[in-house]
Amino acid sequence: MGAISSDAAIYPAPLMATSVGGNQASAGQAQHSSELRAILGLSDTDPLGDGIGVAVIDSGLDAGHPDFLGRVAAGRSFVGSPWTVDSDGHGTFVAGEIAADAFNHIGIAGEAFNAQLLVAKVVDDDGSVSLEGEVDAIHWAVTSGARVINLSLGGVRDPIDRSLDSYAPVEADAVAYAYAHGAVVVAAAGNGPQSPATPWNYADYPAALPHVVGVGAIQQNGVVPDYSNRDETFLDLTAPGAAMFSTIPRALIDSRLSGCLDVAY
């Protein structure tokens, strides 16, 4: 596998704000957090991600974004551009879903808003991800103290046509290294439009590797969208993946759209 593609969002990040008032999340966010706690078996007093290091191995982060102030423990780039710049937007979007500030009166609230982000930039300017960069980023995340490693990227798995299959032992070894050191590795099952067919019946690598939690998309009505890869063996769970709201880099704000100026959400 010479290169793997990042699972770029099928839908562009909605460029509008969801306000957060006072020192608590909105009613909708609070309900969603309660549902998440129930799924995870947590009580209402258990913190969501309190101090946990979560590595986001992706396209970098708009490090100056107000929703991430005080929420980034470390960062490193494995490509030519700085990790503090995210020209793709995918990494900032994913990071917001995880750890966006819930108490700053603006924007959204991350599911684990008390987590500390470890940002590894592996997406090059052309949207590709080198295998070497991904592997090095996983090792860096582990040595930097990540308890959770998120990989919203992948390469095609095709057990029928091996010429299309992107399995790489070095990637499997990196995941095994992370697992052996106590990290939970989570990866996207992948998107059909980036696979040979849509829908595609096989999860991408690294989601299809041992010790990885493979996650597919589900819509609000409970239906799995066509673009989300299926897999009878390696798809471990589904999570919201359509019409999502999250943070975007401030440099990608489309000022031509009404209400979007200075609103990086």
Side-chain angles (χ1 to χ4, degrees):
M1 179 174 62
I4 53 183
S5 63
S6 65
D7 283 338
I10 293 299
Y11 300 104
L15 303 179
M16 59 182 292
T18 301
S19 63
V20 178
N23 284 328
Q24 58 184 355
S26 68
Q29 292 163 336
Q31 178 182 356
H32 189 67
S33 293
S34 295
E35 293 171 353
L36 179 65
R37 291 174 188 275
I39 292 171
L40 299 176
L42 301 175
S43 72
D44 288 339
T45 58
D46 287 326
L48 288 175
D50 194 16
I52 299 297
V54 179
V56 179
I57 299 178
D58 212 294
S59 61
L61 180 78
D62 177 5
H65 195 293
D67 251 340
F68 301 116
L69 298 181
R71 282 168 162 70
V72 181
R76 181 174 173 181
S77 178
F78 297 86
V79 294
S81 53
W83 68 268
T84 54
V85 176
D86 181 10
S87 58
D88 179 274
H90 194 266
T92 300
F93 194 97
V94 171
E97 294 292 332
I98 296 169
D101 192 338
F103 309 120
N104 62 352
H105 304 272
I106 57 174
I108 67 163
E111 295 287 6
F113 46 75
N114 291 316
Q116 286 290 299
L117 294 171
L118 298 160
V119 180
K121 184 172 183 176
V122 298
V123 179
D124 216 333
D125 290 341
D126 62 0
S128 66
V129 183
S130 73
L131 178 60
E132 180 182 6
E134 180 203 354
V135 168
D136 288 347
I138 292 173
H139 280 266
W140 172 81
V142 173
T143 58
S144 298
R147 296 283 303 281
V148 179
I149 298 175
N150 184 85
L151 293 150
S152 293
L153 47 80
V156 172
R157 171 176 173 257
D158 190 338
I160 298 175
D161 186 348
R162 293 295 183 181
S163 68
L164 299 177
D165 194 87
S166 62
Y167 173 77
V170 67
E171 182 182 45
D173 289 345
V175 167
Y177 172 81
Y179 175 77
H181 286 77
V184 176
V185 181
V186 183
N191 295 333
Q194 297 165 337
S195 302
T198 302
W200 187 244
N201 290 322
Y202 308 106
D204 282 352
Y205 299 110
L209 294 173
H211 313 307
V212 178
V213 180
V215 184
I218 194 169
Q219 300 174 113
Q220 191 171 11
N221 61 5
V223 176
V224 176
D226 286 343
Y227 61 78
S228 185
N229 290 355
R230 281 80 166 138
D231 200 301
E232 293 183 354
T233 303
F234 297 108
L235 180 61
D236 298 299
L237 56 89
T238 56
M244 299 296 292
F245 289 82
S246 191
T247 47
I248 63 170
R250 292 164 296 165
L252 298 185
I253 294 173
D254 190 345
S255 59
R256 298 170 300 174
L257 298 178
S258 176
C260 290
L261 189 62
D262 297 328
V263 181
Y265 307 95

